[in-house]
Amino acid sequence: MRRPVSASCALLQVRDLVTEFAGREGRLRAVDRVSFSLERGEILGLVGESGSGKSVTGFSIMGLVDAPGRIAGGSVKFDGVELVGMADGELRRLRGKRIAMIFQDPMMTLNPVLSIETQMLETVLAHDAVPRQEARRRAIEALGLVGIASPAERLAQYPHQFSGGMRQRVAIAIALLHRPDLIIADEPTTALDVTVQGQILYEMQRLVRESGAALVWITHDLAVVAGLADRVAVMYAGRIVEQGSTAEVLDAALHPYARGLLDSVPAANAAGGRLRQIPGMTPSLAHLPAGCAFRDRCAYADDACAAVPGITLRGSRQVRCHHPLFEAVS
Amino acid sequence: MTKPMLEFRDVTKRFEKPLDAIERIAGRLGAAVAGHTVHAVDRVSFTVHQGEVVGLVGESGCGKSTLGRLACGLHAPTEGGVFYQDIAVNGTPVRSVQMIFQDPHSSLNPRMRVEDIVGEAPRVHRLVPAAEVPDYVAQLLRRVGLDPSYRRRYPHQFSGGQRARIGIARALAVKPDFLVCDEAVAALDVSIQAQVLNLFMDLRESLGLTYLFISHDLGVVSHLSNRVVVMYLGRVVESAPTAELFAKPNHPYTQALLAEVPRLDRKNRSFAPIKGEIPSPLAPPPGCHFHPRCPHAMPRCAQEAPVLRQVAPGRVSACHLDA
């Protein structure tokens, strides 16, 4: 759209992405000028509360936004190739092959009436013309990689014979079949128990380190991101309000919303005392205040906030706020 | 010590699925057919004292929700007894013990207005004269932080956090002394969760409530409760004052659980998880239920179920290592 691509080393470059949904209340901007980039081997945590647009951002990158939604602007460059406006057939050759997605509910990936073998072979054969024996070997290997015991026997089973955590492992194995360059994971551990979540985080971290794939981890849970991601982007009402390295953002968030979110986690407060809370509630996209979407709930808001804040840069950090909390950084 | 409010005495709850027609025929023909029995709660004993907040933690299938329902009298125990101020609750709901449910979508009737959701129980129980019910409802809504002018609305017109508040107002409407909160904040966003937790703490102070707070979220439990009870596959494995439990967990399962909790101050950690998954409560492992996953398991653990022993004043733990 804008400047020609130079020899950039970023694997994924999202610039000014806008995704809109047409509804009775007019066109709603679920994703509003979102920009970020991702290198190979990097893990980005995309954090936000419900309705912040984090999942739609993931779907938009994958080209999975269906009517009444549409990508209304911006660009998504994957390895130098523009994905926005790409023909369906071409996109399909990338999806599942070089870009894979893992969903919150593994049953969104798995078909309940087909055996795991059928589903995994289908995925291999969709992109690679290899003999069935070879495809089977690769399926068994992938199941072993995600920590499923006796993968050859498990392959013949159906999804209902697996526990929730095991199903999610199968979904991850399917995503890994073609050794993708980019994995988009949409809350894959939210529905799992703590000990099982720990195991899956461990496997994902190991697999990404070994394969050099880039990972976008979409979640509402700041604590998960703290242990996993290299960089964090915080979304609010469709916009990325802050991004930077995990340590910088979590230790001293610059945006009042990100700061408020971190402060309201029980662990950040003295036990038994009152929790610091963000007043008000997450606004509906149909009734966003003009200017900064957070200003109704923000303690620092003033007249300047009636205009949409631009992005302020500080080192590698970006914050979209008129009154970033620089002074609080010691 | 204050007086006991709610007491579980050796409570066991089993759910049995009767044999279906084919299984009965197979059984009559001589096949070895056994019924399906889930041991949801297995000989649990503990007491909640007046004014206390007891956190009940555990992973899915550990029986924590069943225990909550037993406390409210929504289930009757198979064996043992549940007592509220020395009165047996066993399956008969007590008005003073109210429950707050996890999902504010499915626990509010979508076809009832808020004033009826909140006002129905006090009207039925004749807690307030019929003419004063609207005022009473308005007062309850204000108490939980909702604008009384919303009382003619339906549940779908509210956000998740507001619906959680409606559920709380409904429970408060019958003037309970004891609230069982079953994952009451699990479905809420972090910023809204903080608001609702603050509300719980305010209500405790102003109304003198006692809570049994059931949650899988250790962060929430450590913030709110005075004492924590940890369950695994239907059994209590450890119970201790909150600060002591989090400072020095005694049972290997509690240790594993605390190690797995993602925390803000643990950055770029290398995850080194405990092995295996929670076994099915249909066929729990013999002996100590945790032994197949336990790093310290010894032969005895597979044969003999450990009993709860006092490991320090006010702390009990069920592990052979303590013997």
Side-chain angles (χ1 to χ4, degrees):
Chain A
M1 259 178 86
R2 267 160 219 85
R3 51 185 192 154
V5 202
S6 54
S8 134
C9 58
L11 177 73
L12 178 73
Q13 200 155 32
V14 179
R15 292 191 74 84
D16 291 330
L17 182 69
V18 177
T19 304
E20 291 181 336
F21 287 84
R24 265 185 299 181
E25 315 207 43
R27 279 184 305 172
L28 303 181
R29 280 200 167 184
V31 176
D32 191 2
R33 278 168 291 160
V34 160
S35 302
F36 63 88
S37 65
L38 198 62
E39 319 267 331
R40 283 173 201 277
E42 198 178 22
I43 304 178
L44 172 76
L46 194 56
V47 185
E49 297 185 285
S50 35
S52 63
K54 56 191 192 300
S55 293
V56 180
T57 303
F59 286 121
S60 303
I61 296 168
M62 291 290 284
L64 289 175
V65 178
D66 285 328
R70 67 184 191 99
I71 295 178
S75 113
V76 176
K77 284 215 168 67
F78 171 71
D79 211 3
V81 181
E82 179 60 58
L83 298 187
V84 174
M86 189 186 247
D88 258 0
E90 257 179 283
L91 208 50
R92 202 168 293 149
R93 273 195 288 280
L94 278 178
R95 278 198 299 245
K97 172 83 177 163
R98 296 194 62 201
I99 311 178
M101 188 150 186
I102 305 166
F103 299 93
Q104 176 172 357
D105 179 1
M107 290 313 282
M108 261 176 96
T109 308
L110 300 174
N111 184 331
V113 298
L114 297 178
S115 71
I116 300 297
E117 175 164 11
T118 311
Q119 303 188 45
M120 291 191 81
L121 294 200
E122 195 177 48
T123 311
V124 177
L125 298 173
H127 294 287
D128 292 340
V130 293
R132 287 185 70 83
Q133 271 313 312
E134 165 67 10
R136 216 178 109 79
R137 193 193 58 71
R138 275 167 57 177
I140 293 173
E141 188 192 321
L143 288 181
L145 269 181
V146 294
I148 290 182
S150 48
E153 287 88 75
R154 295 292 263 174
L155 201 57
Q157 294 186 329
Y158 288 81
H160 74 267
Q161 292 168 295
F162 289 76
S163 68
M166 281 295 164
R167 270 182 222 156
Q168 194 56 280
R169 282 168 200 264
V170 173
I172 294 172
I174 290 177
L176 293 172
L177 272 174
H178 291 282
R179 304 199 163 272
D181 298 314
L182 172 66
I183 303 169
I184 297 172
D186 188 5
E187 306 242 18
T189 59
T190 304
L192 303 177
D193 280 315
V194 184
T195 53
V196 179
Q197 164 171 286
Q199 295 166 2
I200 301 245
L201 289 174
Y202 167 73
E203 304 286 354
M204 285 305 290
Q205 202 177 37
R206 186 174 61 81
L207 293 167
V208 170
R209 296 277 177 261
E210 283 169 10
S211 66
L215 175 64
V216 179
W217 191 276
I218 299 170
T219 181
H220 70 283
D221 191 338
L222 289 159
V224 164
V225 160
L228 183 73
D230 304 310
R231 274 193 313 126
V232 177
V234 181
M235 287 190 77
Y236 184 79
R239 294 180 190 145
I240 291 185
V241 293
E242 174 160 6
Q243 57 176 312
S245 80
T246 306
E248 285 174 329
V249 174
L250 297 190
D251 285 343
L254 297 177
H255 195 283
Y257 169 69
R259 181 71 65 89
L261 205 55
L262 285 161
D263 283 348
S264 61
V265 174
N269 291 269
R274 280 188 70 81
L275 295 165
R276 275 162 289 179
Q277 59 184 46
I278 303 178
M281 52 186 164
T282 343
S284 144
L285 288 177
H287 306 106
L288 284 185
C292 174
F294 186 59
R295 71 184 167 116
D296 290 352
R297 306 173 69 187
C298 183
Y300 303 91
D302 59 17
D303 294 342
C305 302
V308 178
I311 292 173
T312 310
L313 286 169
R314 168 158 291 203
S316 63
R317 305 181 67 177
Q318 298 177 14
V319 56
R320 202 183 255 278
C321 180
H322 290 294
H323 309 288
L325 306 170
F326 288 132
E327 74 290 347
V329 183
S330 52
Chain B
M1 195 100 204
T2 48
K3 62 174 181 169
M5 286 281 268
L6 187 81
E7 215 181 332
F8 295 97
R9 291 186 200 153
D10 260 344
V11 174
T12 295
K13 178 68 187 173
R14 288 188 292 266
F15 293 100
E16 284 171 36
K17 175 180 165 284
L19 298 178
D20 60 28
I22 290 172
E23 287 167 327
R24 276 202 304 274
I25 293 167
R28 216 166 285 160
L29 295 175
V33 184
H36 308 280
T37 307
V38 177
H39 298 263
V41 173
D42 189 7
R43 279 176 300 154
V44 166
S45 299
F46 68 89
T47 309
V48 183
H49 294 272
Q50 188 171 19
E52 245 190 336
V53 179
V54 172
L56 187 59
V57 298
E59 296 181 281
S60 46
C62 74
K64 57 188 190 302
S65 290
T66 306
L67 207 61
R69 287 165 171 269
L70 285 164
C72 295
L74 294 174
H75 285 322
T78 316
E79 284 161 32
V82 182
F83 296 87
Y84 178 73
Q85 296 186 329
D86 284 328
I87 304 158
V89 177
N90 307 334
T92 40
V94 179
R95 208 182 64 210
S96 309
V97 184
Q98 287 297 318
M99 185 144 178
I100 292 167
F101 298 90
Q102 169 172 7
D103 184 357
H105 294 257
S106 58
S107 60
L108 300 178
N109 186 336
R111 299 175 60 164
M112 280 170 80
R113 296 181 192 275
V114 170
E115 60 182 355
D116 298 322
I117 291 174
V118 177
E120 187 182 35
R123 194 178 299 125
V124 169
H125 287 288
R126 307 225 165 96
L127 291 179
V128 283
E132 289 170 28
V133 168
D135 284 342
Y136 185 63
V137 169
Q139 183 196 329
L140 282 165
L141 291 179
R142 262 194 298 272
R143 168 148 260 156
V144 298
L146 287 173
D147 187 341
S149 65
Y150 291 167
R151 64 171 178 267
R152 306 273 306 154
R153 293 194 181 182
Y154 290 96
H156 74 266
Q157 293 171 296
F158 292 91
S159 70
Q162 288 173 319
R163 269 189 287 235
R165 289 172 193 272
I166 297 170
I168 296 168
R170 177 178 60 181
L172 294 178
V174 291
K175 303 180 178 167
D177 305 315
F178 194 102
L179 287 185
V180 177
C181 308
D182 186 6
E183 300 277 10
V185 295
L188 304 176
D189 276 321
V190 184
S191 65
I192 308 299
Q193 180 176 301
Q195 296 174 355
V196 175
L197 287 175
N198 281 341
L199 174 64
F200 275 128
M201 287 188 281
D202 294 345
L203 291 174
R204 179 193 179 196
E205 216 162 276
S206 55
L207 301 175
L209 295 172
T210 306
Y211 291 116
L212 180 62
F213 203 90
I214 303 169
S215 179
H216 70 283
D217 188 333
L218 291 163
V220 169
V221 167
S222 72
H223 186 78
L224 210 63
S225 39
N226 310 112
R227 203 151 56 81
V228 179
V229 175
V230 185
M231 286 185 76
Y232 187 74
L233 272 183
R235 292 182 189 157
V236 172
V237 297
E238 183 165 2
S239 162
T242 309
E244 291 171 35
L245 184 102
F246 281 87
K248 198 170 176 292
N250 183 73
H251 195 280
Y253 176 64
T254 318
Q255 290 169 0
L257 202 59
L258 291 185
E260 288 313 322
V261 177
R263 287 194 352 218
L264 283 175
D265 52 4
R266 236 186 278 169
K267 298 188 185 73
N268 293 319
R269 68 178 278 227
S270 296
F271 294 94
I274 54 165
K275 303 272 181 298
E277 292 196 21
I278 308 148
S280 158
L282 270 171
C288 172
H289 287 338
F290 188 58
H291 84 264
R293 304 173 73 189
C294 183
H296 312 292
M298 21 186 203
R300 186 181 171 197
C301 302
Q303 289 146 17
E304 190 189 330
V307 292
L308 280 170
R309 275 188 211 91
Q310 181 151 344
V311 291
R315 299 190 64 167
V316 288
S317 172
C319 182
H320 288 311
L321 289 174
D322 300 323

